[in-house]
Amino acid sequence: MLKVRNLSKVFDKVQAVDDVSFEVNPGEIAVLLGPNGAGKSTTIKSIAGLLRFKGQILINNTDNKSVEAKRAFGYIPETPALYENLTVWEHLEFIARAYSLRDWEETANRLLTRFEMDDKKDKLGKELSKGMQQKVSICCALLIQPKMIMFDEPMIGLDPKAIKELKSVFLELKQAGCAVLISTHIIDSIEEVWDKVLIMNKGRIVLNLTRDELDNKGESLEKIFLEVTDSKGEGEA
Amino acid sequence: MKALLFLIRRNLLNGIKSAFKKPLVLIGYIFILLFIIAFIVASFAMPSGEIRTLPPALFRGIMMLVFTVLYYTSLKLGIEKGSSYFRMSDVNMAFTAPLRPNQILLYGFIKQLGGTLFFILLAFFQIPNLKNNFAFEPHGVIVLLLAVVAYTMAYPLIGMLIYSWTSVSKERKRLAKRIFDRAALAVVLIFLIDLSQTRDFVKSMSHVFDHPVAHYFPIIGWTGSIASAAVAEPDTAFLVGAAGMAVVIFGLSLLIYRMKLDYYEDVLEATEYVEAALKAKREGRNMTFGQKTRKNIRGGLSGKGARALFAKNMMEIRKTSMFLFLDRMSVMVILSSILFKLIMPSEAGLNAFSMFMVLAFSLYMLLLMQAQGRWSVEVEKPYIFLIPASSFEKLFYASLSEHVKNLFDGALLFTLSGIFFGSQVPTVLACILSYVFFGAVFLYAEVLTRRMFGRVHSKGLMIFIKMIFSFLLVVPGIIGSVIAVIATDSEFYMIGAMGAWAFVLAVTLFMFSAGIFNNIESSS
């Protein structure tokens, strides 16, 4: 569903992402793990079509910047940013119009109820707390029933109930055949859900591992993460 | 495109609806609306050239200078940060939606037209002043506004085109900046050379900026030529300017709309900058936003209790100033005040009151610039509320650094002006003290406005309320100074009367506003 080939991105002579390649298949939850500044957000923003880059990104076998590709993916940014003067419901209506969705109202209502936002339908974007804005952002991305979805640090600002709900959303998306890519640096938050882990450090993918491969190694994800991202260890190797 | 039009429509309607939810804010908006209508009516209806009729060449010179400065500053910022019509909500939701980049750009452009309104309103505020000094033609106000519209529509398009060319490499960015700076330097040099020959600021301004080359210079000259027709029959320069600008605006719009666009990355960086600037504005840091912080300022903090606030503020000022307390704001106030006096024609009756005129203009600038003092930053953070001291002490020490800075700026401005106009020492001192006291009036009027109205979402409305409030308070001082000058015919007593009133006012306002740091609720 998502194919990233030889992705590189340079900002002012700083190599933010360096020749990164990976794939996320339908019904697979891939996690982009890495310390701060590893290049995770740049990778996600490149896939979302917000940055220019070297390499190739295909979503549903079409170029990621094409209108067809955009119809297929959802994106939840690291920092939610809503329209200050649009109500929660109007945000969903805008998304429904922009993606030419039909009969979206029932799905929208279900999503709002699930994230305990059904009583906030008429609240303006500027009246919501950061956590609530994040919930609206998630609802907007889920409304389009995407074939591929990207979450950039999705748990930040969410309350425990919403975190629990989001984890079950991950699993439901997986069951529905959606390719899920989650970027985070908090290992605990995705421990139970991931199928494939892509560990990034200094712009490169330093480890690409499936859950089965990790089980065979008999080590914890945290231990492996610390080993491969430890700059001292890297220098010695 | 339907989805984007839905966005624009809902944004506008909900913005109006939310104003109705807060009666106090609504009253504020109605007041502003009435004020604007009054200005618009006055702009069209008032007779022109009643006070004096200055030469049209000076008007043309001023227009050319204004548009040169506007284009230079806005396009240079465009090279640095790009120009963005967008907010992060657009980036996150519209850019990632299955919509063509060209449509999104068009949506941004329509939004920008809303911003144009702001510039038009700013222009309206200047029209009565211009009409008093120049003989406007009946179509004068309309062509002046046409020029403002042409500018506000053209500069984002040019900015975006320049940015898309320069964002490719640092070399291009450097080259573009160099071209801009050298062109600006050339204009300044030409002006200075002319000034050395004429030794008359007004004459040189007409020579340099009212030159045929300037009239027909692409974009800047064309815009200036449209505005210049306010004081004359439309001439060839006007027609060339209007046609040129129409071609530029439509041509560039079409070019950008037809191009295979990949501008999201450029806009992303620019939008992040815009968001940071808006956040700074909300927190009252707009005057220091983007300023470099000097790290080599040492010396530690002194004072205990609320006094520590003063020491901290002084250190912050020193870190963001160019030299001692001299910062961007000081330079703007000082230069514009002196420039104002130089541009104003010397008339026999007014020469005796040069210092008063500089003081009046500098106070006007101070009122605009000192839109939000350092205390407003403190209100957004919890520390000041936690300090174990009385609210009086906290407000005094939190605002003391502003008075010290105003003293520094005032001393610099009026010592220079005093030497320039050959004024007496007591007059210079009276000016400096008046400047400091008025600075305090504006500051505590703002604190009191915040106490009375609480946190107003629109900073523009807040500043407007404060300005009206300050103006009404200052009126008795103006009356006092008029009486003083009639009675004594002395500039010193005239300024002294204003200063004394400002002192009384500042102390009174301080007493009423001190409770703001009692708790967070008293400021929100």
Side-chain angles (χ1 to χ4, degrees):
Chain A
M1 177 53 62
L2 169 66
K3 288 176 187 155
V4 178
R5 289 178 191 146
N6 309 107
L7 173 69
S8 291
K9 176 68 194 169
V10 179
F11 285 117
D12 289 339
K13 290 180 186 165
V14 175
Q15 188 83 42
V17 177
D18 187 8
D19 200 24
V20 161
S21 298
F22 64 89
E23 286 186 16
V24 185
N25 300 313
E28 188 174 54
I29 299 178
V31 177
L32 210 50
L33 269 184
N36 296 325
K40 305 185 297 293
S41 283
T42 305
T43 304
I44 293 264
K45 279 180 186 157
S46 300
I47 299 171
L50 296 174
L51 300 177
R52 284 188 282 266
F53 54 84
K54 273 190 185 161
Q56 189 186 36
I57 299 173
L58 297 175
I59 295 169
N60 208 13
N61 288 322
T62 52
D63 180 81
N64 73 320
K65 290 188 179 179
S66 68
V67 169
E68 294 74 34
K70 288 185 175 193
R71 218 177 282 286
F73 78 80
Y75 166 61
I76 291 101
E78 188 178 0
T79 315
L82 301 187
Y83 291 100
E84 290 179 0
N85 284 327
L86 248 58
T87 63
V88 170
W89 187 256
E90 284 163 350
H91 275 87
L92 293 162
E93 189 177 346
F94 165 65
I95 292 295
R97 284 169 182 262
Y99 287 77
S100 309
L101 304 179
R102 281 185 194 165
D103 306 324
W104 55 276
E105 289 88 349
E106 201 191 319
T107 318
N109 273 320
R110 215 177 43 241
L111 285 167
L112 291 179
T113 310
R114 185 164 194 184
F115 284 95
E116 296 184 314
M117 293 292 290
D118 43 343
D119 59 338
K120 308 272 184 311
K121 268 185 195 173
D122 297 325
K123 287 263 175 206
L124 295 175
K126 65 184 173 191
E127 294 169 347
L128 299 176
S129 70
K130 210 169 175 185
M132 286 181 193
Q133 290 189 28
Q134 182 72 331
K135 287 180 186 178
V136 177
S137 200
I138 292 169
C139 291
C140 285
L142 294 176
L143 183 68
I144 66 168
Q145 297 177 316
K147 291 184 176 136
M148 196 276 280
I149 191 163
M150 290 175 287
F151 294 87
D152 196 356
E153 305 285 0
M155 312 290 190
I156 293 173
L158 291 184
D159 54 52
K161 169 111 192 332
I163 290 176
K164 188 171 170 269
E165 212 52 61
L166 189 57
K167 282 180 184 172
S168 58
V169 165
F170 291 154
L171 296 172
E172 282 167 31
L173 286 165
K174 176 188 157 112
Q175 277 159 13
C178 178
V180 183
L181 180 63
I182 308 164
S183 157
T184 185
H185 59 267
I186 307 167
I187 299 171
D188 291 346
S189 65
I190 40 82
E191 192 79 72
E192 311 133 41
V193 295
W194 65 276
D195 297 315
K196 180 194 273 181
V197 67
L198 307 153
I199 301 181
M200 284 191 84
N201 196 24
K202 294 175 182 167
R204 301 185 74 101
I205 289 191
V206 289
L207 192 79
N208 185 339
L209 202 71
T210 62
R211 190 178 274 274
D212 288 342
E213 285 167 340
L214 180 81
D215 290 344
N216 290 338
K217 283 192 170 201
E219 289 178 13
S220 74
L221 183 57
E222 188 181 22
K223 187 167 180 279
I224 289 184
F225 173 82
L226 292 173
E227 268 172 21
V228 296
T229 56
D230 180 10
S231 53
K232 256 196 290 178
E234 211 174 60
E236 283 159 11
Chain B
M1 197 65 207
K2 274 184 188 167
L4 296 168
L5 290 174
F6 166 79
L7 260 188
I8 294 171
R9 200 172 59 238
R10 290 316 314 174
N11 253 315
L12 193 69
L13 289 175
N14 290 352
I16 296 168
K17 257 200 254 171
S18 58
F20 278 88
K21 283 183 190 162
K22 291 184 176 176
L24 211 57
V25 176
L26 184 65
I27 291 167
Y29 278 122
I30 291 171
F31 194 56
I32 291 179
L33 196 70
L34 290 175
F35 193 75
I36 290 166
I37 291 171
F39 253 94
I40 293 173
V41 172
S43 298
F44 280 101
M46 70 183 284
S48 189
E50 287 288 294
I51 293 181
R52 67 174 78 81
T53 308
L54 297 172
L58 179 62
F59 181 82
R60 289 195 293 268
I62 291 174
M63 288 301 118
M64 289 292 171
L65 176 66
V66 166
F67 284 111
T68 307
V69 172
L70 281 176
Y71 276 112
Y72 172 75
T73 47
S74 56
L75 292 181
K76 188 142 182 257
L77 193 71
I79 299 172
E80 303 256 4
K81 303 286 172 196
S83 9
S84 179
Y85 319 111
F86 302 101
R87 298 289 303 272
M88 278 316 281
S89 41
D90 296 314
V91 171
N92 290 339
M93 301 183 113
F95 286 16
T96 54
L99 301 166
R100 285 178 59 219
N102 310 57
Q103 288 180 338
I104 294 178
L105 194 65
L106 190 66
Y107 151 75
F109 197 62
I110 295 170
K111 282 208 311 181
Q112 177 68 14
L113 292 182
T116 311
L117 270 176
F118 176 72
F119 273 94
I120 293 173
L121 291 179
L122 274 188
F124 265 117
F125 289 137
Q126 302 308 321
I127 289 171
N129 194 19
L130 288 170
K131 271 190 136 179
N132 275 335
N133 291 291
F134 296 97
F136 264 51
E137 292 288 330
H139 60 263
V141 176
I142 291 168
V143 292
L144 196 61
L145 294 178
L146 193 69
V148 175
V149 172
Y151 162 74
T152 39
M153 287 179 83
Y155 91 81
L157 288 169
I158 304 165
M160 187 163 272
L161 221 61
I162 294 177
Y163 188 75
S164 60
W165 185 76
T166 54
S167 63
V168 176
S169 72
K170 280 202 164 179
E171 282 68 33
R172 284 188 183 184
K173 203 176 257 189
R174 260 198 296 271
L175 178 70
K177 266 200 237 172
R178 211 175 292 152
I179 292 170
F180 266 77
D181 286 338
R182 293 206 176 153
L185 192 69
V187 173
V188 173
L189 280 177
I190 292 168
F191 181 79
L192 288 177
I193 291 166
D194 195 88
L195 188 66
S196 68
Q197 286 162 357
T198 61
R199 299 197 176 269
D200 185 329
F201 194 87
V202 176
K203 253 189 205 164
S204 288
M205 225 178 84
S206 303
H207 282 177
V208 176
F209 290 102
D210 187 30
H211 192 274
V213 176
H215 291 169
Y216 293 103
F217 196 84
I219 300 165
I220 301 174
W222 293 343
T223 318
S225 291
I226 299 175
S228 298
V231 291
E233 281 300 315
D235 54 3
T236 321
F238 169 80
L239 294 174
V240 170
M245 288 312 289
V247 169
V248 164
I249 293 164
F250 287 109
L252 288 185
S253 308
L254 208 66
L255 181 74
I256 291 174
Y257 195 76
R258 290 248 170 115
M259 271 161 72
K260 193 174 180 302
L261 293 172
D262 190 6
Y263 61 87
Y264 288 173
E265 179 172 334
D266 310 331
V267 168
L268 184 63
E269 195 186 338
T271 309
E272 279 165 358
Y273 181 82
V274 168
E275 291 288 340
L278 284 171
K279 189 166 179 263
K281 203 173 166 191
R282 276 198 296 270
E283 291 172 0
R285 293 182 287 112
N286 45 335
M287 282 313 289
T288 53
F289 178 72
Q291 270 183 350
K292 281 182 186 148
T293 306
R294 288 193 290 164
K295 289 180 184 162
N296 56 352
I297 301 293
R298 296 275 181 271
L301 296 170
S302 59
K304 286 184 177 157
R307 279 186 192 190
L309 284 167
F310 172 62
K312 178 197 72 84
N313 287 348
M314 291 302 278
M315 181 180 264
E316 281 180 341
I317 292 178
R318 279 163 60 217
K319 280 189 177 185
T320 49
S321 301
M322 300 168 199
F323 170 71
L324 287 175
F325 302 117
L326 193 76
D327 61 7
R328 211 157 50 179
M329 188 185 113
S330 327
V331 174
M332 278 164 86
V333 171
I334 294 167
L335 281 184
S336 56
S337 305
I338 294 178
L339 206 67
F340 167 76
K341 180 64 192 80
L342 287 172
I343 291 174
M344 282 310 286
S346 42
E347 284 169 22
L350 289 173
N351 266 356
F353 301 109
S354 296
M355 289 295 275
F356 181 79
M357 284 170 71
V358 173
L359 174 68
F361 189 78
S362 65
L363 289 177
Y364 171 68
M365 289 299 290
L366 185 67
L367 183 62
L368 289 180
M369 295 282 161
Q370 193 190 306
Q372 286 162 300
R374 234 158 254 276
W375 69 272
S376 61
V377 181
E378 299 294 349
V379 173
E380 304 297 329
K381 300 185 187 340
Y383 312 112
I384 197 160
F385 298 99
L386 301 171
I387 291 172
S390 73
S391 195
F392 272 91
E393 269 183 285
K394 285 194 270 193
L395 180 60
F396 178 74
Y397 285 111
S399 56
L400 188 56
S401 58
E402 300 290 332
H403 308 321
V404 173
K405 191 185 174 318
N406 286 342
L407 182 65
F408 175 82
D409 289 350
L412 204 64
L413 169 64
F414 295 107
T415 309
L416 280 175
S417 309
I419 296 167
F420 206 50
F421 302 121
S423 302
Q424 301 288 319
V425 175
T427 310
V428 172
L429 287 176
C431 281
I432 296 171
L433 288 177
S434 295
Y435 186 80
V436 175
F437 296 151
F438 271 105
V441 169
F442 299 154
L443 193 150
Y444 297 127
E446 190 188 340
V447 181
L448 194 59
T449 311
R450 177 74 177 252
R451 270 206 83 183
M452 286 166 63
F453 295 96
R455 191 196 304 269
V456 177
H457 266 300
S458 158
K459 282 292 167 198
L461 177 63
M462 184 81 179
I463 291 165
F464 188 81
I465 294 170
K466 188 199 100 175
M467 282 174 75
I468 295 289
F469 193 34
S470 304
F471 180 75
L472 292 176
L473 290 172
V474 169
V475 169
I478 297 171
I479 297 168
S481 67
V482 171
I483 295 168
V485 78
I486 292 169
T488 63
D489 200 27
S490 151
E491 191 181 25
F492 169 74
Y493 286 109
M494 186 183 186
I495 294 166
M498 286 261 286
W501 171 249
F503 178 74
V504 174
L505 208 55
V507 173
T508 315
L509 287 170
F510 175 82
M511 303 300 277
F512 281 108
S513 54
I516 192 150
F517 292 128
N518 280 340
N519 55 54
I520 289 177
E521 280 185 325
S522 48
S523 66
S524 58

